[in-house]
Amino acid sequence: MGSLTDQLASLVEDADVVLLFSPSTSFYTRFEEMGSAAVVVAAENAVDAEEFVELPLPFENVRDRIRFGIEGAMDADLVDEGDEVVCVVSIFGDATDAVVRVGVDSTIHTGIYDLFVNSRADPGVIRDVFEVAIELGQKGQKGKPVGALFVVGDAGKVMNKSRSLSYNPFEKSHVYVGDPIVNVMLKEFSRLDGAFIVSDSGKIVSAYRYLEPAAEGVDIPKGLGARHMAGGAITRDTNAIAIVLSESDGLVRAFKGGRLILEVDPEEY
Ligand SMILES: Nc1ncnc2c1ncn2[C@@H]1O[C@H](COP(=O)(O)OP(=O)(O)OP(=O)(O)O)[C@@H](O)[C@H]1O
Ligand SMILES: [Mn+2]
């Protein structure tokens, strides 16, 4: 009696919902055969799950990944506050290697799902901008660390709350983030001062914008400088989100509604 299995069984006991993160087909099939209901959280619905939450980024930080899955499941009314959720994840490799039990309360909710899915801009556009910022953080510009500020969505209003620092290289072009050539241009222009403005659909509206948002009601951590403050504040003053790569600490941060929602270390991707 009192075997390890018995001891650990308490981890999954009385769970309200099971979230399977990127399960293999065989794992998912076995799970289905047991008749257990599960929500699949993955980049794509490769197992044809009935209940599915799409992950826009791999989220190397497992807490972020789990938060995203839970918030997504809550948004789809599959999980409620007060539920006990069991998350089956892979941390070190592709195979399932961890079970995490989470009691869902208000503190679980950071807005990480909301950032991608309930913003003005398309989720794919937000993901593409994230990817550019992460790559830029990994490689820098010609080996040197660079910073960058991308304001995504609600571009008309953002343009009204900002001014041009110089000639806009994207003035007459119709180019979109996610296109490999455009991503190279964005990286090249990251040496310039100011912000990139991206529309809801991913069109690069401008580079070189100096943001002049009202800063009241902005709640961002002390110690971040003017770029982060301006990026955070514009998301309070408009319905845009901001993705900021810091030149000084190398992290990529996302802001929405004047709040810091997500911090990602490009070196971990
Ligand atoms: N209001 C603004 N609008 C657009 N860009 C800005 C604004 N304020 C600062 N920046 C840009 O941010 C750059 C860095 O400024 P600062 O060092 O104060 O920001 P920071 O938040 O500390 O960012 P980092 O972590 O990259 O140093 C500036 O050179 C400028 O290009
Ligand atoms: Mn700085």
Side-chain angles (χ1 to χ4, degrees):
M1 52 182 283
S3 72
L4 182 62
T5 316
D6 292 339
Q7 297 284 325
L8 293 180
S10 64
L11 208 55
V12 295
E13 222 157 59
D14 303 325
D16 296 297
V17 189
V18 177
L19 299 192
L20 300 178
F21 286 77
S22 310
S24 66
T25 308
S26 58
F27 189 97
Y28 183 71
T29 309
R30 265 182 286 139
F31 208 85
E32 259 194 325
E33 280 166 4
M34 294 183 328
S36 319
V39 180
V40 168
V41 185
E44 51 188 84
N45 192 357
V47 297
D48 248 330
E50 219 162 278
E51 289 163 346
F52 171 69
V53 174
E54 184 183 336
L55 274 179
L57 291 178
F59 293 113
E60 282 305 306
N61 180 322
V62 179
R63 289 165 71 105
D64 287 343
R65 204 188 312 162
I66 287 176
R67 281 208 159 92
F68 190 95
I70 290 177
E71 290 178 22
M74 288 177 93
D75 201 63
D77 284 329
L78 302 169
V79 167
D80 291 310
E81 222 171 283
D83 280 355
E84 289 292 318
V85 177
V86 165
C87 302
V88 181
V89 293
S90 343
I91 297 181
F92 284 100
D94 289 336
T96 292
D97 57 12
V99 175
V100 180
R101 184 187 181 103
V102 185
V104 178
D105 61 17
S106 57
T107 63
I108 193 81
H109 205 275
T110 57
I112 187 171
Y113 179 82
D114 192 57
L115 171 78
F116 284 90
V117 179
N118 300 324
S119 291
R120 283 268 309 236
D122 292 345
V125 168
I126 297 173
R127 185 202 56 221
D128 287 343
V129 174
F130 245 105
E131 281 175 357
V132 172
I134 285 170
E135 273 174 38
L136 201 52
Q138 286 165 341
K139 301 200 186 107
Q141 250 296 320
K142 311 206 158 63
K144 282 213 290 236
V146 281
L149 165 52
F150 300 92
V151 184
V152 188
D154 206 6
K157 202 155 174 205
V158 173
M159 290 299 278
N160 285 334
K161 304 246 175 202
S162 60
R163 70 177 69 207
S164 188
L165 289 168
S166 180
Y167 155 78
N168 172 19
F170 295 97
E171 175 83 60
K172 292 216 165 61
S173 60
H174 291 272
V175 297
Y176 288 80
V177 65
D179 177 335
I181 294 167
V182 176
N183 288 0
V184 171
M185 289 164 79
L186 290 175
K187 288 177 197 165
E188 192 58 39
F189 288 131
S190 65
R191 282 180 288 109
L192 310 178
D193 259 352
F196 292 105
I197 313 298
V198 180
S199 80
D200 295 343
S201 60
K203 183 177 185 293
I204 317 296
V205 176
S206 185
Y208 263 145
R209 288 306 278 196
Y210 182 73
L211 307 177
E212 297 179 307
E216 73 248 27
V218 177
D219 176 25
I220 73 169
K222 293 265 177 298
L224 295 173
R227 187 188 334 257
H228 294 83
M229 184 54 85
I234 196 81
T235 73
R236 165 99 192 172
D237 217 6
T238 69
N239 289 313
I241 65 140
I243 295 173
V244 187
L245 168 64
S246 167
E247 184 177 344
S248 43
D249 67 17
L251 299 183
V252 173
R253 295 181 176 83
F255 298 87
K256 184 176 178 184
R259 286 195 310 129
L260 173 64
I261 306 290
L262 175 63
E263 231 171 45
V264 168
D265 185 347
E267 295 304 328
E268 288 176 5
Y269 274 81

